[in-house]
Amino acid sequence: MNPQEVNAPPPSAIPPAPSGKPPRRSRWVGSLLALVLVALVGGAAWYLIERANGESSGGPGFPGGGRPMVTVGDALVRKADLPVIVDALGTVIPATTVTLRPQVSGMLTQVLFTEGQMVKKGQLLAQIDPRPFEQALMQAQGTRQRDEAQLENARLTLERYRTLLSQDSIARQDVDTQAALVKQLEGTVVTDKAQEGTARLNLGYTRITSPATGRIGLRAVDAGNYVTSGDAAGLATITQVAPIDVQFSVPQDRVADIQAAQATHGGADALAVTALDRTRKAELDKGRFSTLDNQVDTTTGTVKAKARFENAAGALFPNQFVNVQLLLRNVPALVVPVTAVRTGANGDYVYVINEDRTVSLRKVKRGQATVGLMAITEGLKEGERVVTEGGDRLQDGMAVQLPGAQAARPPRAGASSPRSGASGEGRQRRQRPAQNP
């Protein structure tokens, strides 16, 4: 045995030689997988594109062209009397507001009303202790009677003095003095009558009555309290709710239109006003326009106006916010729904539906408008049909489908035409084996 072979390490202990590059077979497998993946992605993209082209050329909803068929809402162009309305935000204010205050001071003995009660003018509502005022009235009456007796005596004395003066039995100075005394007592009697009237008036003020017809508010003072004539809060507040007023503001640019409408209809009372709730859905009441203010508010550029409502149903409540519609006149015009008119870079336009169910873009000029209708002054004719819904997906010349109409559907893929079906049947007959007789 060779000594070198004895000293050599075993084969398993020899380390493998380092390799800086992967084997050529691994690189070949990786490249093959990448090519397969690219082929699969390309095939999927080609399939999707071909499928989309097939649907656009012959699928449902695309009859005979590459553009999709859009279902739209439509409406007819018609003639109507379009109301010219001034919209405003108003506040309901009572026609009369009265704070029930005592006119004399005293003990409140009775409260004869219920909070929220409807009261009439002159109705007794409260009572103040009348006894001090009755005594004051009796004292004033006694003073008047005493002074009237003195005046009567002075007048009789004056007559005697004048008789004696005619007989030259008395000096004229005494007659003049007596005449002055009579005039003095006459003035005293007039003063006494005025004091008696004041006392009687104060006694009447102990009966607190309603100065107006309306609804009384919450009670501020209970019976048993001492009330004074200078009490600012008063006993309660009475508001007249039928009829009732609504105050609102109109732009200063519409003042001329309102005045012209007043002159045309023969006065402000002929202009109709409608009060709506905050949502503009419920009609609260109908009334008549009353008047405009005499100046423009420079801070807002508006003019205050007022309208009166009968408010028989009580739908309008004081200090309530309402929407007001002032009707100036009715104008005959061609109208379309507001949703039919669109605004673009070149102005207002609509989509007109032709007889072949295609749409044409047409420029229009708008006029007066309400919440749901708009007048068209130029660009449309009566009887034409316009698009109201779905116009954001349309283009000029595009085919559309109306609600409820059936779209023309081409034959599904795989279905044979009559000619192809006949040829297929012929092929089946040719391929059918011959039968033995």
Side-chain angles (χ1 to χ4, degrees), residues 15 53 61 139 147 227 248 259 264 281 298 300 321 396-398 408-409 420:
N53 291 335
Q139 182 179 2
D147 292 340
V227 295
F248 56 97
Q259 292 176 342
T264 302
K281 295 181 180 179
T298 57
T300 60
F321 289 100
D396 191 12
M398 182 180 292
R409 294 180 178 271
S420 62

Side-chain angles (χ1 to χ4, degrees), residues 14-275:
I14 299 174
S19 59
K21 296 182 181 180
R24 182 174 300 177
R25 184 176 181 180
S26 299
R27 285 185 296 169
W28 179 81
V29 172
S31 300
L32 181 61
L33 290 176
L35 291 175
V36 172
L37 181 61
V38 171
L40 290 176
V41 173
W46 176 84
Y47 172 76
L48 293 176
I49 293 174
E50 289 297 325
R51 181 179 179 182
N53 291 335
E55 291 180 353
S56 63
S57 61
F62 300 86
R67 293 182 178 179
M69 179 172 289
V70 179
T71 301
V72 297
D74 64 312
L76 286 175
V77 181
R78 58 186 179 89
K79 287 185 178 180
D81 289 335
L82 192 66
V84 179
I85 294 176
V86 177
D87 291 315
L89 181 64
T91 305
V92 180
I93 58 175
T96 303
T97 302
V98 180
T99 301
L100 198 63
R101 294 188 178 94
Q103 299 296 310
V104 293
S105 301
M107 184 69 65
L108 188 65
T109 58
Q110 287 182 319
V111 176
L112 304 175
F113 65 88
T114 304
E115 295 175 334
Q117 176 185 351
M118 293 296 297
V119 298
K120 296 182 179 180
K121 184 177 181 179
Q123 180 178 344
L124 180 62
L125 301 178
Q127 178 72 52
I128 297 176
D129 187 6
R131 291 175 295 178
F133 302 96
E134 291 174 350
Q135 300 300 321
L137 177 60
M138 292 176 61
Q139 182 179 2
Q141 289 176 343
T143 302
R144 176 185 58 80
Q145 293 175 359
R146 181 196 63 190
D147 292 340
E148 285 180 346
Q150 292 178 359
L151 175 61
E152 186 64 23
N153 184 38
R155 286 175 177 172
L156 292 175
T157 302
L158 180 59
E159 291 296 329
R160 296 189 189 100
Y161 283 0
R162 287 176 178 175
T163 301
L164 294 175
L165 180 61
S166 63
Q167 297 175 358
D168 199 15
S169 300
I170 192 175
R172 180 174 293 275
Q173 182 179 0
D174 294 337
V175 177
D176 293 341
T177 301
Q178 189 64 29
L181 178 61
V182 170
K183 291 183 178 180
Q184 179 181 352
L185 292 175
E186 288 177 349
T188 302
V189 170
V190 172
T191 302
D192 294 340
K193 290 182 178 179
Q195 291 178 352
E196 182 183 357
T198 301
R200 184 174 286 106
L201 186 62
N202 290 335
L203 180 60
Y205 283 152
T206 60
R207 292 171 50 88
I208 301 176
T209 59
S210 175
T213 300
R215 177 179 287 127
I216 196 166
L218 302 180
R219 184 175 64 249
V221 180
D222 297 326
N225 289 284
Y226 186 84
V227 295
T228 61
S229 57
D231 188 6
L235 303 181
T237 302
I238 300 174
T239 56
Q240 182 178 348
V241 295
I244 201 167
D245 296 331
V246 174
Q247 181 175 311
F248 56 97
S249 298
V250 297
Q252 60 181 355
D253 298 336
R254 304 305 299 269
V255 172
D257 293 341
I258 296 175
Q259 292 176 342
Q262 291 178 0
T264 302
H265 294 84
D269 294 340
L271 299 181
V273 181
T274 303

Side-chain angles (χ1 to χ4, degrees), residues 261-262 265-273 287-291 306-308:
Q262 291 178 0
H265 294 84
D269 294 340
L271 299 181
V273 181
R288 293 293 175 180
F289 182 76
S290 298
T291 184
K306 184 181 290 186
R308 173 151 293 189

